[in-house]
């Protein structure tokens, strides 16, 4: 199969592929998604097939109009309207109980709930509207690997497997959306996957306490939302998290154990330790925003060099956006920190 790169004037053509049951990757403000018609079970099964994704892992349904929710959601949480007003379109996914039979079982992973999002990307909103159907959109990469933040990343993983890719350049945020569980209208919302819409921001807007589900889903467990597995977002090269005080010891250990090291970090760390290792990938600056934007791209770049035996990655405080960064990094590293 030829995988076509669609530009802005070809969105209608890309939408026809979705209607016809084919797969087309699309851009969002977070990462690129792998699109299929959410109402065609056979098309959704193709998503699992080309990604190599476990079929118990539920998918996020992308919509372009709030009114589409009413076709599927059984019982809205009382905070839904306020959340939509403040955060849609945007990097926030909401989980609701759905009307029985309203979506194929393969979309929900066999659950009575489903996840919905309205992405903040004009091309993709036009893409969904022209398709006339809701579109599933897990990250457009091989399952378990770092998510794609450019069309080139998608092409690397999906060339010859899907009909096309709608290109809109690099994504703005770099990690997947916040997933908020609203399936029980009687309970406060709970974050199942942290993202750019942080706990602090949600609490300020909604004037209620928001919990974060820190449970790590094992391989034999069915997750309620994407990205909840114990290990995820992992390149083939081993990843290890480095605390600020451990860089010297980690570099020395690597040399003594004949490790070929790469470093993924901000300019401050790269300037101090970059000359001691084989390869580096620097975030654009030392901020958590830059780190979050560059995490997946950096993991991919260092892994694709095929020269390294280990990738050392800078950690950040688990506050605000740091919660999302560290959530992805811990899973990429299989929870492994360097220990002296």
């Amino acid at each position: 199969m030829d995988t076509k790169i669609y530009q802005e004037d070809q969105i209608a053509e890309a939408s026809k592929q979705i209607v016809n049951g084919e797969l087309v990757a699309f851009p969002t403000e977070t990462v690129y998604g792998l699109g299929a018609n959410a109402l065609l079970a056979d098309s959704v099964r193709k998503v699992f097939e080309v990604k190599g994704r476990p079929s118990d892992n539920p998918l996020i349904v992308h919509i372009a109009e709030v009114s589409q929710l009413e076709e599927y959601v059984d019982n809205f949480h009382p905070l839904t309207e306020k959340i939509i007003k403040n955060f849609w379109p945007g990097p926030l996914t909401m989980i609701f109980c759905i009307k029985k039979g309203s979506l194929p079982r393969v979309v929900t992973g066999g659950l009575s709930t489903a996840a919905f999002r309205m992405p903040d990307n004009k091309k993709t909103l036009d893409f969904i509207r022209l398709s006339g159907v809701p579109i599933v959109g897990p990250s457009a990469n091989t399952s378990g690997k770092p998510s794609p933040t450019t069309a080139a990343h998608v092409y690397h993983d999906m060339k010859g497997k899907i009909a096309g890719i709608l290109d809109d350049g690099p994504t703005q945020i770099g990690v997947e959306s916040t997933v908020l569980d609203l399936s029980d209208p009687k309970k406060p919302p709970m974050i199942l996957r942290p993202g750019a819409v942080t706990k602090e921001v949600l609490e300020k807007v909604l004037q209620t306490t928001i919990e974060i589900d820190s449970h790590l889903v094992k391989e034999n467990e069915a997750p309620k939302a994407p990205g909840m597995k114990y290990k995820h977002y992992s390149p083939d090269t081993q990843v290890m998290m480095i605390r600020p005080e451990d860089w010297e010891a980690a570099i020395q250990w690597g040399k003594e154990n004949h490790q070929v090291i790469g470093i993924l970090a901000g300019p401050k760390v790269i300037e101090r330790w970059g000359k001691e290792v084989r390869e580096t990938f620097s975030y654009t600056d030392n901020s958590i925003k830059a780190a979050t934007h560059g995490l997946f791209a950096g993991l991919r770049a260092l892994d694709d060099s095929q020269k390294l035996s280990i990738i050392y990655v800078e950690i950040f405080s688990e506050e605000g956006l740091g919660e999302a960064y560290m959530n992805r990094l811990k899973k990429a590293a299989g929870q492994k920190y360097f220990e002296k």
Side-chain angles (χ1 to χ4, degrees), residues 213-231:
D213 184 350
S214 57
H215 170 63
L216 295 172
V217 177
K218 306 298 183 184
E219 288 304 313
N220 61 347
E221 291 183 76
K224 192 171 186 179
M228 294 183 72
K229 294 282 188 178
Y230 181 88
K231 188 173 183 180

Side-chain angles (χ1 to χ4, degrees), residues 4-142:
K4 182 172 181 177
I5 305 297
Y6 293 105
Q7 303 302 329
E8 188 166 10
D9 60 351
Q10 298 170 307
I11 293 176
E13 183 182 345
S15 297
K16 287 179 182 177
Q17 294 280 19
I18 290 292
V19 174
N20 292 335
E22 299 296 337
L23 308 186
V24 177
F26 59 89
T28 75
E29 74 279 30
T30 58
V31 300
Y32 274 73
L34 182 55
N37 186 337
L39 304 182
L40 294 179
D42 287 345
S43 295
V44 178
R45 290 188 188 98
K46 289 182 189 177
V47 170
F48 288 95
E49 181 182 336
V50 302
K51 280 180 61 70
R53 182 186 178 103
S55 59
D56 66 349
N57 213 347
L59 302 176
I60 294 173
V61 178
H62 293 70
I63 60 175
E65 306 292 346
V66 175
S67 59
Q68 289 179 276
L69 281 178
E70 297 174 4
E71 299 178 43
Y72 309 103
V73 177
D74 187 39
N75 194 3
F76 284 101
H77 193 282
L79 289 172
T80 302
E81 187 175 346
K82 192 171 187 179
I83 293 170
I84 289 173
K85 180 181 178 181
N86 284 277
F87 299 107
W88 270 16
L92 180 69
T93 294
M94 293 185 279
I95 293 180
F96 300 104
C97 279
I98 59 168
K99 298 174 182 177
K100 190 173 181 180
S102 60
L103 288 169
R105 182 180 175 85
V106 67
V107 172
T108 65
L111 301 173
S112 61
T113 57
F116 296 87
R117 175 159 114 85
M118 184 185 295
D120 189 12
N121 182 285
K122 183 181 182 302
K123 288 183 182 178
T124 288
L125 291 176
D126 289 344
F127 174 60
I128 299 170
R129 290 189 185 102
L130 288 170
S131 299
V133 294
I135 296 177
V136 297
S139 55
N141 58 289
T142 302

